[in-house]
Amino acid sequence: MKRADYKNILSKYSLRGFALGLGLAVIILLLSLDAGPLQQTGKGLGQLLYLVPGMWVVLLLPFIFAIAGYQVAAIFGKAIRKQNKRIKKEAGKTKMVLGFIDNLRQGKLEETLPADHGKTDALTKALINLREFMVQSKRTRNKEDLRKSSEPG
């Protein structure tokens, strides 16, 4: 994933989180301002914050949601980057295997298939075994050809 795409995702999630938190805070504040005791005093938001100190948290909701959105986007971004690395690694491995198979098809049996740091998977083992089988078959065929050509006809 490109750096610009990653930043774009982070900003989108942060902005959406902020907007969600702002909407939620406005709804809560409007509902709270409609409360009976607050209407009797005739005072507004200042009195509400004085009477209910927990309302300060409501005012912070847009920022809390923006931070949460940023964190979620960061987690998604890391997962996407990790998956892209895996895809690139597998694409490189596929390209290497196709090159090896093409060499076998052309009769270049001396070519080897590089293994990833000594680790070999089932496909790599099968290809190496196929190459060894082809080398052995070629040797056997060459011996038979030599034997037939040396026999009196």
Side-chain angles (χ1 to χ4, degrees):
M1 176 181 348
K2 296 178 185 174
R3 194 83 174 143
D5 292 341
Y6 181 67
K7 287 183 179 182
N8 191 19
I9 290 172
L10 287 176
S11 64
K12 279 184 181 179
Y13 272 75
S14 298
L15 185 60
R16 288 177 183 167
F18 184 83
L20 179 65
L22 184 63
L24 192 58
V26 167
I27 291 170
I28 292 171
L29 287 173
L30 288 175
L31 290 175
S32 299
L33 288 173
D34 194 34
L38 200 58
Q39 284 183 343
Q40 290 173 358
T41 61
K43 295 184 180 177
L45 184 60
Q47 184 68 19
L48 178 64
L49 293 173
Y50 177 74
L51 292 175
V52 186
M55 280 296 175
W56 286 101
V57 174
V58 172
L59 292 178
L60 294 175
L61 278 179
F63 302 105
I64 294 170
F65 277 58
I67 291 169
Y70 181 88
Q71 293 298 323
V72 167
I75 291 169
F76 284 151
K78 286 179 185 177
I80 290 170
R81 280 186 283 178
K82 191 174 183 180
Q83 192 65 22
N84 283 344
K85 282 184 182 180
R86 286 184 188 153
I87 289 170
K88 285 181 183 178
K89 182 179 177 183
E90 287 300 317
K93 187 175 178 181
T94 300
K95 189 175 181 179
M96 178 183 62
V97 166
L98 289 175
F100 181 77
I101 291 171
D102 194 43
N103 284 335
L104 289 180
R105 186 180 57 79
Q106 293 174 6
K108 298 178 185 176
L109 301 178
E110 64 280 350
E111 299 291 327
T112 60
L113 182 65
D116 296 338
H117 308 290
K119 298 178 185 175
T120 55
D121 58 353
L123 177 61
T124 305
K125 287 178 183 178
L127 288 171
I128 291 171
N129 288 339
L130 175 63
R131 181 179 57 90
E132 293 302 320
F133 175 77
M134 290 176 75
V135 167
Q136 188 63 32
S137 295
K138 188 175 182 179
R139 285 182 191 151
T140 304
R141 210 173 321 120
N142 287 342
K143 286 179 184 177
E144 288 177 4
D145 289 345
L146 282 175
R147 189 182 49 155
K148 285 181 182 178
S149 64
S150 64
E151 290 179 358

